[in-house]
Amino acid sequence: MSEADPESVQSGSAATADASGGGTSRRALLAWGGAGLALGAAAAGGTAAILRQNSEPAAPGTMGMAVPFHGEHQAGIATPVQDRLHFAAFDVKTKDRAELIKLLKEWTAAARLMTAGLPVGEGGFGGLPEAPPDDTGEALGLKASRLTLTIGFGPGLFAGDRFGLNGRRPVALVDLEQFPGDNLDASRSGGDLCVQACADDPQVAVHAIRQLARIGFGKVAVRWSQLGFGKTSSTTPDEQTPRNMMGFKDGTRNISGTDKAALDKHVWVGAGDGSDWLTGGSYLVARRIRMHIETWDRTPLQEQEDIFGRDKGEGAPVGKSKEREEPFLKAMKPEAHVRLAHPDTNDGATILRRGYSFTDGTDGLGRLDAGLFFLAYQRDVRKGFIPIQRNLAKNDSLNEYIQHVGSAVFAVPPGVRDKDDWWGRTLFT
Amino acid sequence: MSEADPESVQSGSAATADASGGGTSRRALLAWGGAGLALGAAAAGGTAAILRQNSEPAAPGTMGMAVPFHGEHQAGIATPVQDRLHFAAFDVKTKDRAELIKLLKEWTAAARLMTAGLPVGEGGFGGLPEAPPDDTGEALGLKASRLTLTIGFGPGLFAGDRFGLNGRRPVALVDLEQFPGDNLDASRSGGDLCVQACADDPQVAVHAIRQLARIGFGKVAVRWSQLGFGKTSSTTPDEQTPRNMMGFKDGTRNISGTDKAALDKHVWVGAGDGSDWLTGGSYLVARRIRMHIETWDRTPLQEQEDIFGRDKGEGAPVGKSKEREEPFLKAMKPEAHVRLAHPDTNDGATILRRGYSFTDGTDGLGRLDAGLFFLAYQRDVRKGFIPIQRNLAKNDSLNEYIQHVGSAVFAVPPGVRDKDDWWGRTLFT
């Protein structure tokens, strides 16, 4: 971790000392606030102390720590992938540009506190007895848990001249086409705004989305949301590649969160890419992919391995013995998933994957409603997800066992630079 | 932890050595199995080594460890509450008693392996290339994560003379009445069988339920299932009481998992209780309680605290300063939750709570479908949940903010004693 930004460090406090250890505890704050003191000043000091740049990812094994909120890029993209996810897409209800900007500033302030492991609100969780609490409280006593909150702006925000953003829609923020096999549910697709909450503790991620929904009451409404119980991708090559609900390692060759050259080439929007406000940002494609796992589970092992182009146990590509050996694509069947998704098959198209497994109970037929909530970041959707998905949707032998049932695309603004900055400033000013 | 049961320890193996350390790793097994060896004998050895009695709960901070499967009582009741839950209720489809018994034996064998951190199947995950894998694989490489699997038998199993169980239905396994305010969804209620999977890693819990559903294909079908992302109760008094989705600590006075006298009095079915096959077992009531959290979040702090009868920050009862001080019930409003749920208000009725918070996306109105999946174990439903819930359903001021939308009751058989025993043996033989 880099040192605290001197500009943002304020006068010391008990909370500051705690936060500088990296493991800010809501519990410590609470024990203190329980005495009835106003927490405002102390909370502000504690927050400031953790405002380090997020350019360097946290080391593994730092589960309770806070990930710096401020930085050139938003955290939650190159950040080592946390264990759990709560993702929400919002419809904007207000028609007032000023009200939307005010909300984005309030959201930023709340995100700054929550990612530091602190409750929302200037006065701690509580506020006055006669008013609703500033924070709903279910994360009091829990650690920061590497919470990251990442905002995105959907195509609808730029529609017509709804918020005076005419002409500011990035050319690369294209509406996704209907791919072969898509069976999209409108109630699980789209959205004017999205927030991705990742944390090692799901209660911390759920709490964060709930606070933002509450702060936005009357101005925005949750359109859809998705809980992810297990990550399926890693941006940390020295960690074990997680397995998806089909039991396979997928995404072994994901972009590393520390590979600056690859991130600049494939993930971050560059200064010459055509939308200045988005420089340092990215594009997010979210797809809810239902897996027909009961059918998959009755498929022979050899067939499963042929479909992926990897063996199930080790995850090694066909003909190789180790997961991370370079795949020899021609050894695989032409319709193998690894072969079709590989950059060499797609003119170099490369995306950063950050998906999660989901299980949302049971459908009406007694089958688990389970699968992959696919999240991919890229510099240009037209050169990332779209060419890869065109190829997969047409040819992938996995298609017999999966179905895309939700879809959304968002422009992801650059990072919040400091305590005076806010989500969307480069777009709205 | 107690020592391994000498009777069940078999000849040593690499897996045994690993398992005896308490942190059996599927990954270690897999690295070994990846060489293409048959894992059968080794896996059996590894399993045997961890077959300790589960009478003593694991110490806190033992997240990757295995909880012993064998014991006088089923694990997952007095066991220190794990962080995550996947719960499934099944309808039995087969009409053949012998086939049901065979399934229960197969489930027991699978549960024995999975709770030890091992894949299902005698041959490791894989089996033959031309056959579907024995284990679907998504938990390979993950630790045992204190997985417990707890089975229950619903009233439907005893109906008519479906499986020759006429007259074996325990008198205390009563059908729950319709309580005031109940709004039960049949598709989230009932079930002939249930399995509660608790683990510190949700992927391990989801994997376990999926294997059991797969093994039962054609004989049973999942009726409903519920994922819980955060525990709301503790059976370990020295650990922080978790908070529910209303931000409050509830269930501070829960029965401790080490309080043998209280467990014998309130949780375990005794030898004189009228159903010999259930001695050492318990009864489980499961209720899906939806919270109207958007309404709750707009309620003043003082009103929230009056409703619970505790302060929000510390969790102290009205008029007290510490969470664990004895509540003075008369200081609370007559309709306060703590007062109404207290044993002193209900002729001593006491239950062991093991519930989890859930968030299942959004309802059609943009509100989070969130709340408490309430799980309570007791010696007699007529003297536990029913009198308490009659009182709460009629008087609790919390009722304005919650609604019971799912309900089920199960008889929970005693523990599996050793490697030759199986779930339901005392009922079916």
Side-chain angles (χ1 to χ4, degrees), chain A residues 347-367:
Chain A
D347 294 326
T350 305
I351 54 182
L352 185 150
R353 280 152 294 173
R354 245 188 167 274
Y356 287 81
S357 291
F358 69 83
T359 296
D360 292 337
T362 314
D363 69 13
L365 300 169
R367 299 175 303 202

Side-chain angles (χ1 to χ4, degrees), chain B residues 3-40:
Chain B
E3 287 303 305
D5 177 359
E7 187 187 309
S8 63
V9 173
Q10 302 185 358
S11 59
S13 72
T16 306
D18 189 31
S20 64
T24 307
S25 164
R26 290 184 175 84
R27 191 181 308 173
L29 258 292
L30 181 62
W32 199 32
L37 297 170
L39 269 169

